[in-house]
Amino acid sequence: METQQTHVPQPARRRRIVVAMTGATGAILGIKALIALRRLNIETHLVMSKWAEATIKYETDYHPSNVKALADHVHSINDMAAPISSGSFKADGMIVVPCSMKTLAAIHSGFCDDLISRTADVMLKERRKLVLVARETPLSDIHLRNMLEVSRAGAIIFPPVPAYYIRAASVDDLVDQSVGRMLDLFDLDTGDFARWEGWEK
């Protein structure tokens, strides 16, 4: 006698985004991204490099421990067995913010010697969204070539270029606008910045 199998619907999981912070200048961009994602109820998996921690202390009033507390899960950059290192781990994407030229080069070459570059490699091979908030200026031929090749592989290069039309009253306003535009790429609306609506009459 055949037994009928009943399908039990699985509860919808929260959206998951991996946030990686490297030692490039612009630590506040990663911090504000984590704050916005928490407010939007997105499950975050954070990886920070040693130099990201140093930059956080130098550039902001945050301590790395405070930044880690903003994430749902924190993984050591040396933990190559972390869940996010596998393509079988269901993530909705990854944002490297800020992204150093060293990390960009590692992603471009597939040199997965730490959890940030390995997880980015997973995002590319699994055809998931990978946003690299590249921080450097001016850009050399090497930087531009790496950006082009990584873009061809499926990543999105997002230099945090300020929008002057918002007539920002503070650096915070510029940061919020950049973070809002980054998260737009994941169809997430922070509601924290003015959008272009055409010339004001």
Side-chain angles (χ1 to χ4, degrees):
M1 184 178 177
E2 283 189 25
T3 57
Q4 251 189 343
Q5 289 187 336
T6 55
H7 176 69
V8 180
Q10 296 296 313
R13 66 166 176 81
R14 289 165 67 199
R15 291 183 66 185
R16 287 177 179 153
I17 293 179
V18 177
V19 177
M21 296 180 66
T22 73
T25 187
I28 193 64
L29 292 163
I31 294 167
K32 286 288 195 92
L34 284 166
I35 291 169
L37 289 166
R38 169 169 279 231
R39 196 176 71 240
L40 293 165
N41 195 33
I42 305 300
E43 180 182 317
T44 51
H45 290 254
L46 175 64
V47 189
M48 285 197 298
S49 73
K50 174 183 75 173
W51 290 109
E53 297 195 18
T55 305
I56 287 165
K57 287 188 275 191
Y58 187 80
E59 290 186 347
T60 77
D61 294 327
Y62 287 84
H63 187 273
S65 60
N66 305 130
V67 178
K68 290 175 182 177
L70 295 171
D72 293 287
H73 304 275
V74 180
H75 306 283
S76 165
I77 194 167
N78 299 312
D79 183 7
M80 299 298 277
I84 60 175
S85 71
S86 171
S88 66
F89 181 79
K90 287 289 188 184
D92 298 292
M94 177 180 186
I95 183 166
V96 184
V97 52
C99 181
S100 67
M101 293 300 102
K102 176 186 175 183
T103 298
L104 172 69
I107 295 168
H108 166 242
S109 65
F111 186 60
C112 306
D113 67 333
D114 64 29
L115 187 58
I116 293 176
S117 53
R118 168 58 190 168
T119 306
D121 194 66
V122 166
M123 295 297 156
L124 292 176
K125 79 182 183 70
E126 298 292 334
R127 300 293 190 262
R128 295 173 188 158
K129 189 153 285 181
L130 173 63
V131 176
L132 306 178
V133 183
R135 287 288 299 116
E136 191 59 271
T137 190
L139 297 166
S140 73
D141 285 5
I142 293 168
H143 302 150
L144 292 166
R145 187 165 59 246
N146 286 344
M147 288 181 187
L148 178 60
E149 292 303 321
V150 169
S151 177
R152 285 174 172 166
I156 296 171
I157 306 297
F158 185 105
V161 179
Y164 295 102
Y165 65 80
I166 66 172
R167 302 184 72 171
S170 66
V171 172
D172 258 2
D173 288 348
L174 293 174
V175 169
D176 288 341
Q177 195 271 343
S178 283
V179 169
R181 293 289 289 115
M182 285 172 218
L183 298 187
D184 274 353
L185 297 170
F186 294 90
D187 295 321
L188 296 168
D189 188 353
T190 65
D192 285 341
F193 68 100
R195 295 182 182 276
W196 177 251
E197 299 288 352
W199 299 114
E200 291 184 5
K201 305 296 182 190

